[in-house]
Amino acid sequence: MKIIPHFSLKSLNTFGIDTHAEAFVSVESIDELKTALSQKDYTQKFLLGGGSNMLLTQPIPGLCIHINIKGIQLIEETDGEVIVEAMAGENWHDFVQWTLDNNFGGLENLSLIPGNVGTAVIQNIGAYGVELKDVFHTCETVEIQGGNERLFQREDVHFGYRDSVFKREEKGRFVITKLRVRLTKTNHKLSIDYGDIKPALGEKKITPKTIAEAVIGIRKSKLPDPKVLGNSGSFFKNPVVSSLHAETLSMQYPNLPSYRFGVCLTKIPAGWLIEKCGLKGHREGDAGVHKKQALVLVNYGNATGEEILSLAQKVKKNVLEKFKIPLEFEVNIY
Ligand code: EPU
């Protein structure tokens, strides 16, 4: 474990923002993580996972700790189910592939989501009708102040839409080190009702693997590959508005896509709202709104974090003025 001063973070954030950390260390075990957290020379500690859900608008002061703890193992097995454990530094998609290679069901709809296992918990990643919370068993953490270990049960995590206790009450207090998920060996609970999935499956037999292939195909056709075009996936959350507001809007826009969200609430795709503001494909310098999916902002090369943020604020302002709907950022801004 080596602490490196003035370290470039360009290759460690999927937006490809060229900024640096005052100091950087990559930790490969829980013991190394505890040692890094106890470094007294740096009062500020910044935890970095896959760098896929953040926008860096300034250099990071203090010590940036890159969670690079690897390992996947089967913990428990019954006739129909398994509990699998993945360490926080595993790449999320590699983990999903591992489960599919072992014929376990549950994570197929979450294929190809960028980022790492640890951060997947923080924002309760979701796609095509499935969220991480649906398979979550437990997660283990280390407290940033003091280095104590704490296990979180499902009910402790208070999962919501792209939300958990780690984004709210416990924000900045814990580092997630391990995730355990409960997956199926037989009688898989397959989710194929989300719009694009059935057509992508065609005549194929419906299995976790074929669903994963369909999801991968859809994502590749709409969402930019961060290795090719810097981005952090959805920049905005899909807003939840009163159903009355949604009904009023749908009188004006009969094609408004919307989904019931609990009692009296409706979720509207931010991508649709942004597109209707005429901003899909809009570009300001190297910062842009993606051409195929308007809720994704992209870095065409050398955009700074501030430039992307300023575009994001412009998008928010336009949507608020046109639809009276305040958009919320899904990515974390630093
Ligand atoms: N739409 C538009 N224009 C656009 C984008 C979308 O009109 O530019 C419309 C589509 O036609 C469709 C609706 O909006 O009617 C929904 O679009 P899509 O299926 O692409 O999903 P989304 O609601 O825009 C959410 C997640 C994605 C996830 C997909 C699939 C959020 C913030 N985003 O997007 O998650 O992959 O559903 O489940 O909830 C991510 O979090 O990084 C991410 C990509």
Side-chain angles (χ1 to χ4, degrees):
M1 188 183 113
K2 190 165 167 248
I3 296 181
I4 308 166
H6 197 91
F7 189 87
S8 169
L9 298 175
K10 187 168 164 60
S11 65
L12 292 174
N13 70 98
T14 59
F15 251 125
I17 301 296
D18 194 4
T19 188
H20 68 275
E22 183 186 341
F24 174 89
V25 64
S26 184
V27 296
E28 294 181 4
S29 68
I30 293 177
D31 282 345
E32 284 191 358
L33 168 65
K34 288 182 182 174
T35 308
L37 288 172
S38 67
Q39 293 299 308
K40 298 271 183 290
D41 290 350
Y42 303 96
T43 43
Q44 295 192 52
K45 310 278 182 343
F46 180 84
L47 280 311
L48 178 66
S52 65
N53 199 41
M54 55 165 55
L55 178 66
L56 300 172
T57 62
Q58 55 190 334
I60 298 298
L63 181 62
C64 173
I65 304 173
H66 181 222
I67 311 300
N68 199 17
I69 312 173
K70 305 273 190 199
I72 301 177
Q73 60 172 324
L74 189 62
I75 297 289
E76 235 178 86
E77 183 164 14
T78 62
D79 286 349
E81 283 188 347
V82 284
I83 292 173
V84 176
E85 176 181 279
M87 302 303 285
E90 284 290 338
N91 172 273
W92 175 261
H93 182 65
D94 291 349
F95 173 47
V96 174
Q97 282 302 311
W98 185 95
T99 64
L100 294 168
D101 290 344
N102 285 282
N103 296 313
F104 302 146
L107 296 183
E108 54 280 353
N109 295 51
L110 304 179
S111 296
L112 214 62
I113 296 184
N116 286 357
V117 163
T119 35
V121 179
I122 301 177
Q123 58 151 345
N124 183 24
I125 55 168
Y128 307 101
V130 174
E131 289 181 326
L132 178 59
K133 74 167 170 47
D134 303 330
V135 291
F136 181 90
H137 175 262
T138 45
C139 69
E140 283 184 30
T141 65
V142 170
E143 208 162 352
I144 294 176
Q145 297 293 332
N148 294 321
E149 292 184 32
R150 178 167 156 196
L151 179 79
F152 280 76
Q153 305 284 347
R154 200 171 182 284
E155 58 275 18
D156 303 330
V157 186
H158 303 168
F159 283 119
Y161 165 57
R162 294 295 193 278
D163 202 22
S164 77
V165 79
F166 301 110
K167 277 180 94 172
R168 286 178 280 116
E169 303 90 291
E170 304 294 11
K171 188 171 177 172
R173 278 195 60 203
F174 295 94
V175 187
I176 293 165
T177 52
K178 287 179 196 171
L179 164 69
R180 289 182 179 167
V181 289
R182 186 188 295 280
L183 304 174
T184 48
K185 281 168 66 183
T186 52
N187 296 328
H188 303 300
K189 298 177 200 80
L190 303 176
S191 173
I192 58 162
D193 289 334
Y194 193 92
D196 300 329
I197 300 242
K198 276 184 194 150
L201 277 165
E203 299 297 305
K204 282 191 202 138
K205 188 169 172 223
I206 300 168
T207 68
K209 279 186 185 158
T210 55
I211 293 178
E213 281 161 19
V215 166
I216 290 169
I218 298 166
R219 289 190 76 97
K220 281 190 171 162
S221 73
K222 282 192 183 174
L223 296 166
D225 177 353
K227 291 194 193 92
V228 181
L229 188 60
N231 75 89
S232 266
S234 306
F235 198 94
F236 305 94
K237 286 188 188 184
N238 284 335
V240 175
V241 302
S242 75
S243 299
L244 191 65
H245 189 160
E247 275 159 34
T248 314
L249 273 181
S250 66
M251 281 188 248
Q252 205 180 340
Y253 303 95
N255 297 328
L256 175 85
S258 64
Y259 318 92
R260 286 308 281 233
F261 191 82
V263 193
C264 308
L265 294 174
T266 297
K267 202 195 256 186
I268 298 180
W272 186 90
L273 297 168
I274 299 166
E275 183 171 344
K276 278 283 169 283
C277 288
L279 289 169
K280 192 170 184 171
H282 175 73
R283 182 169 171 172
E284 293 186 359
D286 269 355
V289 178
H290 188 48
K291 289 179 184 141
K292 295 184 188 162
Q293 167 49 292
L295 92 167
V296 176
L297 300 188
V298 295
N299 175 6
Y300 283 102
N302 294 313
T304 62
E306 287 105 318
E307 283 164 348
I308 305 243
L309 183 59
S310 136
L311 176 62
Q313 275 152 351
K314 181 172 182 173
V315 168
K316 259 183 97 155
K317 186 167 174 280
N318 275 257
V319 170
L320 185 63
E321 278 169 8
K322 192 169 172 70
F323 296 105
K324 307 281 172 286
I325 295 179
L327 289 184
E328 248 182 78
F329 295 156
E330 200 211 296
V331 300
N332 298 304
I333 315 285
Y334 296 101

